[in-house]
Amino acid sequence: MEFALALLSVPPDELETLGWTFADRKRLLDHFLRSGKAAQRIPRDALGQSLITLRLPRRDLAPLQRFARRELPKAASNAAMLDRVLRVLDEAA
């Protein structure tokens, strides 16, 4: 959820810097929404340490990595989540 909120917080000029359009951001948010629906089945007390599957086209992986490295540290309040996300994105690449 925190990752999706960070995506929403990116202003239009930063979207352009990332090489994204509003449509690109919406597509990425849709991926997170589908993953969030799957996460609703996980008990709340286990959710913080659970791996959530995020299925997205390979073409979206590199832009998402750039975003995670450049913008997510500014918005994330949970350093452990940030480390996990970056590790998983690196492994997927």
Side-chain angles (χ1 to χ4, degrees), residues 5-93:
L5 291 173
L7 276 172
L8 283 171
S9 71
V10 178
D13 58 324
E14 287 295 318
L15 280 180
E16 189 175 314
T17 301
L18 288 165
W20 292 355
T21 64
F22 283 100
D24 293 329
R25 176 168 57 183
K26 182 184 180 317
R27 186 181 65 253
L28 290 169
L29 286 168
D30 287 344
H31 295 309
F32 280 95
L33 179 62
R34 281 191 293 279
S35 296
K37 287 180 180 177
Q40 289 177 343
R41 294 187 290 271
I42 299 172
R44 286 193 132 200
D45 57 335
L47 190 58
Q49 296 303 315
S50 298
L51 291 178
I52 306 297
T53 301
L54 178 63
R55 298 185 193 285
L56 60 142
R58 186 157 294 280
R59 67 184 161 98
D60 287 335
L61 186 57
L64 205 53
Q65 281 180 296
R66 281 193 306 273
F67 169 79
R69 284 187 176 32
R70 180 185 173 132
E71 298 297 323
L72 193 56
K74 299 175 192 174
S77 62
N78 183 334
M81 179 276 304
L82 178 59
D83 291 341
R84 286 185 3 207
V85 166
L86 290 172
R87 186 182 74 244
V88 169
L89 288 172
D90 288 344
E91 289 172 4

